[in-house]
Amino acid sequence: MEKIAVISDIHGNLSALKAVLKDIEERGIKRIFCLGDLVGKGPHGDLAVDLIKEKCEIVVSGNWDEFIREPSDIDIVTWNQDILGQERMAYLESLPFCIEFMMSGRLVRLFHASPRSLYERIYPWDEMEKRESLFEPSANCRVQKPADVAGYGDIHTAFLQHLENGRTLFNAGSVGNSLDMIQASYVIMEGVYGAHDAAAFGLQFVRVPYDVEEAIREAEERDMPQLEPYAIELRTGQYRGKFKA
């Protein structure tokens, strides 16, 4: 049996990332997969990229990791571009779209938002047809058959659903910008990695407290744009759009 830590949506929150990596290390887990959005929103996209590159075995691209490389006049985007620099931007451009592997007789497919797009947002309360589509392959996938286990990030809301025919759908939540509670989130997958034969398989959801006020102070010290909505999200676990008039 092997354990894999699945993390996602760090968004430049170094305090949260360090807390999660410490928890993973204390559990003796050696293999970490990251489902994207290393940068954006928070103050330390540069250091988050460096740490993820060092600690994670496989990292896929997120929507922020893609559009942060495009020309923009949005202040938080241009600010991130400046602190990232060309070498880190090139690393973000090199990231693959998805991760596919066998575990305990199950085909596991992990991606940022959907098998089709970095920008297609699907929630646990969406209609069944949308959720079931997360198991289907696309041209972005190497294995052209439906997954038994589909895992993703993007929505910053951790959940687990068992669907028909023994399929498992999960979201790892967010390390650095959780929007379901004010603690970092990640998932531990346990099973026989690479095995095509059926064997024991499990998923564990982990919530890790971290110093939210420290994360906000770090954003202040770096004179980060859009500080107020970022602080609201970290302190409340509520999406900033909910507070607009």
Side-chain angles (χ1 to χ4, degrees):
M1 300 286 284
E2 183 171 3
K3 293 181 179 180
I4 300 173
V6 181
I7 67 175
S8 190
D9 294 271
I10 292 86
H11 285 294
N13 186 338
L14 197 64
S15 296
L17 178 58
K18 286 181 175 179
V20 165
L21 292 175
K22 181 174 183 290
D23 188 80
I24 292 170
E25 182 180 7
E26 289 174 347
R27 294 172 188 267
I29 300 172
K30 304 299 184 183
R31 176 166 273 173
I32 307 174
F33 295 166
C34 178
L35 305 188
D37 273 7
L38 285 61
V39 302
K41 290 196 168 188
H44 286 300
D46 52 349
L47 302 183
V49 167
D50 294 345
L51 196 52
I52 290 293
K53 188 176 180 180
E54 174 190 350
K55 297 293 186 180
C56 295
E57 180 177 336
I58 308 176
V59 184
V60 302
S61 181
N63 54 297
W64 271 88
D65 305 321
E66 182 174 79
F67 72 66
I68 204 73
R69 307 192 312 269
E70 301 298 324
S72 176
D73 57 3
I74 301 172
D75 55 1
I76 191 65
V77 174
T78 56
W79 185 86
N80 268 276
Q81 290 170 342
D82 288 341
I83 67 168
L84 285 168
Q86 290 304 310
E87 185 175 340
R88 295 186 185 95
M89 298 276 270
Y91 170 73
L92 294 177
E93 187 174 8
S94 74
L95 297 178
F97 187 89
C98 69
I99 307 168
E100 295 170 303
F101 56 94
M102 295 298 297
M103 193 173 204
S104 295
R106 297 161 171 83
L107 173 60
V108 179
R109 184 176 291 121
L110 307 177
F111 41 84
H112 180 68
S114 91
R116 297 165 293 277
S117 170
L118 298 177
Y119 301 92
E120 182 181 11
R121 191 150 290 166
I122 297 177
Y123 291 96
W125 49 81
D126 282 342
E127 55 267 30
M128 182 63 73
E129 183 179 359
K130 281 189 175 182
R131 285 176 284 140
E132 288 182 332
S133 77
L134 293 173
F135 294 94
E136 298 301 320
S138 74
N140 298 311
C141 306
R142 176 178 53 85
V143 181
Q144 290 299 304
K145 67 177 186 177
D148 303 299
V149 179
Y152 68 116
D154 184 56
I155 60 173
H156 299 203
T157 301
F159 76 87
L160 171 67
Q161 293 179 354
H162 296 293
L163 304 183
E164 291 182 357
N165 302 320
R167 294 172 300 172
T168 301
L169 176 64
F170 76 91
N171 190 287
S174 173
V175 168
N177 189 223
S178 179
L179 297 179
D180 52 10
M181 64 183 295
I182 52 172
Q183 291 184 349
S185 175
Y186 78 97
V187 163
I188 299 171
M189 304 183 67
E190 186 171 16
V192 183
Y193 185 78
H196 289 257
D197 295 331
F201 175 82
L203 290 174
Q204 177 184 355
F205 286 76
V206 183
R207 306 308 298 237
V208 182
Y210 70 95
D211 192 335
V212 170
E213 294 307 316
E214 177 185 63
I216 295 170
R217 284 195 302 272
E218 289 174 345
E220 291 175 337
E221 290 167 0
R222 279 202 155 189
D223 197 23
M224 187 188 79
Q226 301 188 24
L227 173 62
E228 183 178 358
Y230 179 68
I232 287 173
E233 289 184 345
L234 263 56
R235 286 173 174 147
T236 68
Q238 297 292 313
Y239 176 57
R240 65 186 68 185
K242 291 185 176 182
F243 297 90
K244 292 181 180 179

